[in-house]
Amino acid sequence: MGLLSLLRKIRSSPEKEARILLLGLDNAGKTTLLKQLANEEVTHVTPTAGFNIKSVAADGFKLNVWDIGGQAKIRPYWKNYFENTDVLIYVIDCSDRIRLKETGDELLEIINDEKMKDVPLLVFANKQDLPNAMTASEVAEHIGLITLENKTWQIQACSAVDGTGVKEGMDWACKNMKK
């Protein structure tokens, strides 16, 4: 799936930009997902010490994806990137059961912020290619997504390494993007 196909779906007005914020704990697969979206090689990905930005311009569209590091010392700075976000993509490592509560708490803090109130939420339940991965519905239940009211959200099972489920999630994000 290339970004150009996503861009065509995102906006009908060529002078507009879309801002996508990509968050999650360290080692969740955010940068791998970003590389997958940009059709880049995903065999060697190093931890993000700060942030990565991919801006793609094509056919009059511009998509800006902000991938912010997920280490505990960086998370307090996430809120500095909330302004003007059109879609929040939150990535969860479904094979890391030990940190499930931690990632759920972080997500809740983000979506309860006033700047993120009306921003649609796409949760990628990543690492489905691993044998001990929780299903997307298990994750949704454990972190409390199913109890969210007045929030547009979707959880999508995926594997950022091979791209499984990524297109389906991005299709949802494009259809539900904050206008």
Side-chain angles (χ1 to χ4, degrees):
M1 168 189 66
L3 283 175
L4 183 57
S5 62
L6 291 175
L7 293 170
R8 288 190 178 114
K9 294 177 185 178
I10 291 174
R11 305 281 187 183
S12 58
S13 181
E15 69 276 358
K16 294 201 177 179
E17 295 185 14
R19 179 180 164 95
I20 298 175
L21 189 55
L22 185 58
L23 298 176
L25 299 186
D26 52 300
N27 201 38
K30 299 175 300 298
T31 303
T32 304
L33 181 69
L34 181 60
K35 286 177 171 278
Q36 188 68 244
L37 290 173
N39 287 326
E40 294 179 6
E41 183 63 45
V42 296
T43 53
H44 181 68
V45 178
T46 58
T48 304
F51 59 89
N52 294 308
I53 305 170
K54 295 278 183 200
S55 294
V56 179
D59 291 348
F61 295 101
K62 187 172 182 184
L63 177 65
N64 300 307
V65 182
W66 293 70
D67 163 23
I68 315 298
Q71 296 89 345
K73 64 183 180 198
I74 295 175
R75 291 181 220 152
Y77 299 101
W78 283 354
K79 63 183 174 237
N80 297 328
Y81 298 91
F82 290 175
E83 193 115 5
N84 300 318
T85 297
D86 294 305
V87 171
L88 169 63
I89 298 176
Y90 194 84
V91 183
I92 294 178
D93 176 351
C94 292
S95 70
D96 190 353
R97 296 170 188 270
I98 294 170
R99 296 176 72 192
L100 190 58
K101 181 179 178 350
E102 180 183 1
T103 197
D105 291 347
E106 291 291 347
L107 177 57
L108 219 56
E109 189 173 327
I110 294 166
I111 63 176
N112 285 329
D113 188 283
E114 187 62 31
K115 291 178 183 170
M116 300 300 280
K117 186 176 81 172
D118 297 325
V119 175
L121 167 66
L122 170 61
V123 175
F124 272 121
N126 193 24
K127 302 192 182 182
Q128 292 296 312
D129 52 313
L130 299 180
N132 62 337
M134 293 173 281
T135 66
S137 58
E138 284 178 296
V139 171
E141 186 174 330
H142 278 78
I143 66 172
L145 279 178
I146 58 175
T147 63
L148 288 181
E149 295 180 12
N150 303 320
K151 182 75 173 169
T152 302
W153 67 273
Q154 172 72 17
I155 188 164
Q156 175 65 51
C158 79
S159 169
V161 170
D162 66 19
T164 303
V166 174
K167 181 187 182 314
E168 293 83 356
M170 292 307 294
D171 284 347
W172 179 90
C174 292
K175 289 176 190 162
N176 291 279
M177 191 164 293
K178 183 177 158 186
K179 305 281 188 240

